[in-house]
Amino acid sequence: MSSTENADSATGKDPTPQMPHAPHAPNSPQEPQAPQAPQVPRQTVNGGISFWYAQQSQSQDQSQNPSLPTPRTPRTPLPGDTNADVVIVGGGYTGLWTAYYLKKAAPFLRITVLEQKFCGYGASGRNGGWLYNGIAGRDRYALLHGHDAAVRLQEAMNATVTEVITVAAEEDIDADIHRGGVLEVAYTPAQLARLKTFHETELSYGEKDRELYGPRETADRIRVSDAVGSTWTPHGARLHPMKLLKGLAAAVEALGVTIHESTPVTEIRPKHAVTPHGTVRAPYVLRCTEGFTASLKGHRRTWLPMNSSMIATEPLTPAQWESIGWEGRETLGDMAHAYMYAQRTADDRIALGGRGVPYRFGSRTDNDGRTRPSTVKALRQILLRLFPQLSDVAVAHAWSGVLGVPRDWCATVALDRSTGLGWAGGYVGSGVATANLAARTLRDLVQRDSGQSGATDLTTLPWVEHKVRKWEPEPFRWLGVHGMYATYRAADRRELTTHTAQSSRIARIADRVAGR
């Protein structure tokens, strides 16, 4: 994920009763011990960037008050006009991975990263922690470039999961990574029909190690209430988004890359990244701003900043985990039209996300991740739909953020060789792994353009140099997105009540209108 829809009416409190939890031991010796239970019920923390950020900000050495935040040492803003060989706009996964791979390939390059707030402020510090092999737009790329080209793209994504895990180990980044694969479940007849079609489609793209399960095999992994089937792929892992981000930023700086925080870029043009503090001039200017792209001059309609929201529960007890299973720590999704995504965290919580208010008028983005109480309640209802035995489990944290959505829902990476302007993004919520593939591709595109190398397998993938039209102006943009998600939710409700095996017709209409 990534996400946002906060501010307007958020009160900072979960609308459901808050219950204390019992201390417990982890199910696996590799997992850290969960914290002891508080003596009094706790209210939901709303916003504060994300649960991942708040957890990383806690003091590790003040035993008398472990909830006291440790002040984060900010990186210095850009001090004034300067020059570089490559300037990267955005201090999230895409920007930092790009800096990492470029500097490793060409240590002599002077690389500057400009971040408007701090590294991990956006989607990279707020997502669901799904490192998996999904990529937005693959089916469209198959239509445009042929099935074999799309298979190569899928194979590159499969390999990317391993790449991230390998580099994290090499750089000694402890990001709570557990490779348990991805389990996607169905709990209505219509979802089961979609799941079987999805499973067959994935097999057709070369994923021969994917498995299809019935109710019993599904329950052997995770006991989702009323699950009628599931599909599982090994190409996925759970991780802690902010731990990965902080470790990556440290690795990048250790290589000699300069990172300036609190430096918003207001305009990108050939060989210039313009900020209030000065301008960085460089032959290559790479835009890695994902859901915040709309804030740049001339890009308000390039990618739509879609909101996604998450909750994290209090740590569950051993008895609660016994009732659920989930010992493999797979990432968990479903086949609903308005889908959800979840993980079992390293400290034995459930972190679960989905769409709340999908879009804010005028492509606005949030400040601190605050989330409307109605969205917190809706996400908790999803949690209880999956695991009704958790009715007394408190929601400890709620937050939101934004992800980038192109008009045709296709992720892309590109470098304009006539201007030196490059970009990557439009991941539509699948950015944890896709950002890494995009970064390695940007590295190869820059090296090809500068004469350091020729074309590579990555530069010939079908998503490279993909062009797409802009989103409609307001109010049509707002009306279209809100109408689309209202339709998806209505379709899900209808499928739950009618138990028909056929997907709701109104959802298919919404897909066509959306251009998905």
Side-chain angles (χ1 to χ4, degrees), residues 131-152:
L131 175 70
Y132 86 118
N133 66 340
I135 184 167
R138 183 197 59 193
D139 292 346
R140 186 180 295 272
Y141 287 129
L143 291 174
L144 294 173
H145 301 278
H147 184 76
D148 290 346
V151 169
R152 289 199 302 115

Side-chain angles (χ1 to χ4, degrees), residues 409-486:
W409 299 72
C410 289
T412 187
V413 57
L415 177 68
D416 186 335
R417 303 185 73 173
S418 66
T419 63
L421 297 178
W423 59 91
Y427 304 134
V428 195
S430 300
V432 179
T434 313
N436 178 276
L437 178 61
R440 287 182 284 130
T441 306
L442 278 174
R443 170 202 61 194
D444 289 0
L445 290 171
V446 169
Q447 289 202 289
R448 182 187 67 178
D449 185 72
S450 62
Q452 298 174 45
S453 70
T456 67
D457 289 342
L458 297 185
T459 62
T460 61
L461 290 174
W463 71 325
V464 176
E465 314 294 355
H466 178 69
K467 301 292 194 301
V468 61
R469 67 183 176 91
K470 293 181 179 295
W471 282 87
E472 291 79 3
E474 297 290 21
F476 304 106
R477 190 158 75 243
W478 187 93
L479 291 170
V481 175
H482 280 259
M484 176 182 68
Y485 272 95

Side-chain angles (χ1 to χ4, degrees), residues 71 89 122 153 160 184 206 216 237 245 247 317 338 354 371 402 437 466 474:
V89 181
L153 181 59
T160 295
E184 292 172 277
R216 180 177 298 178
L245 189 286
T317 67
T371 301
V402 294
L437 178 61
H466 178 69
E474 297 290 21

Side-chain angles (χ1 to χ4, degrees), residues 12-259:
K13 296 183 180 180
D14 188 342
T16 57
Q18 304 300 298
M19 303 292 293
H21 62 276
H24 67 286
N27 291 339
S28 164
Q30 284 75 38
E31 299 293 329
Q33 175 70 46
Q36 296 294 308
Q39 297 303 307
V40 296
R42 290 192 285 182
Q43 291 183 336
T44 300
V45 176
N46 193 326
I49 310 304
S50 71
F51 164 74
W52 315 116
Y53 176 76
Q55 193 178 58
Q56 277 289 278
S57 298
Q58 285 182 349
S59 173
Q60 301 299 312
D61 58 1
Q62 299 185 34
S63 58
Q64 291 185 342
N65 190 0
S67 64
L68 185 66
T70 300
R72 191 187 66 85
T73 303
R75 296 175 175 89
T76 59
L78 181 72
D81 293 346
T82 189
N83 298 314
D85 297 311
V86 180
V87 57
I88 296 170
V89 181
Y93 288 148
T94 305
L96 293 176
W97 278 124
T98 301
Y100 177 85
Y101 286 112
L102 270 172
K103 193 68 172 178
K104 293 279 281 189
F108 57 85
L109 288 176
R110 297 171 301 156
I111 301 174
T112 297
V113 177
L114 303 177
E115 164 56 41
Q116 68 161 336
K117 298 279 190 173
F118 56 83
C119 292
Y121 172 81
S124 299
R126 308 191 197 190
N127 63 79
W130 274 44
L131 175 70
Y132 86 118
N133 66 340
I135 184 167
R138 183 197 59 193
D139 292 346
R140 186 180 295 272
Y141 287 129
L143 291 174
L144 294 173
H145 301 278
H147 184 76
D148 290 346
V151 169
R152 289 199 302 115
L153 181 59
Q154 184 60 66
E155 290 173 345
M157 281 303 307
N158 297 348
T160 295
V161 174
T162 300
E163 170 71 12
V164 173
I165 295 171
T166 299
V167 174
E170 291 173 349
E171 296 293 344
D172 198 25
I173 300 172
D174 181 3
D176 296 339
I177 298 174
H178 182 91
R179 189 165 189 167
V182 182
L183 186 74
E184 292 172 277
V185 301
Y187 45 82
T188 70
Q191 285 189 22
L192 182 60
R194 289 197 296 274
L195 182 139
K196 290 179 177 178
T197 299
F198 169 74
H199 178 83
E200 293 300 319
T201 299
E202 298 309 295
L203 294 181
S204 74
Y205 283 107
E207 202 175 331
K208 303 305 182 187
D209 44 6
R210 178 175 285 272
E211 299 176 4
L212 182 66
Y213 300 143
R216 180 177 298 178
E217 297 94 335
T218 301
D220 286 343
R221 286 187 175 271
I222 307 176
R223 288 185 278 280
V224 173
S225 178
D226 298 326
V228 292
S230 63
T231 180
W232 175 83
T233 176
H235 301 293
R238 172 213 74 188
L239 56 75
H240 188 299
M242 204 68 195
K243 288 184 179 181
L244 176 62
L245 189 286
K246 289 182 70 174
L248 178 58
V252 164
E253 288 184 306
L255 291 172
V257 173
T258 300
I259 301 175

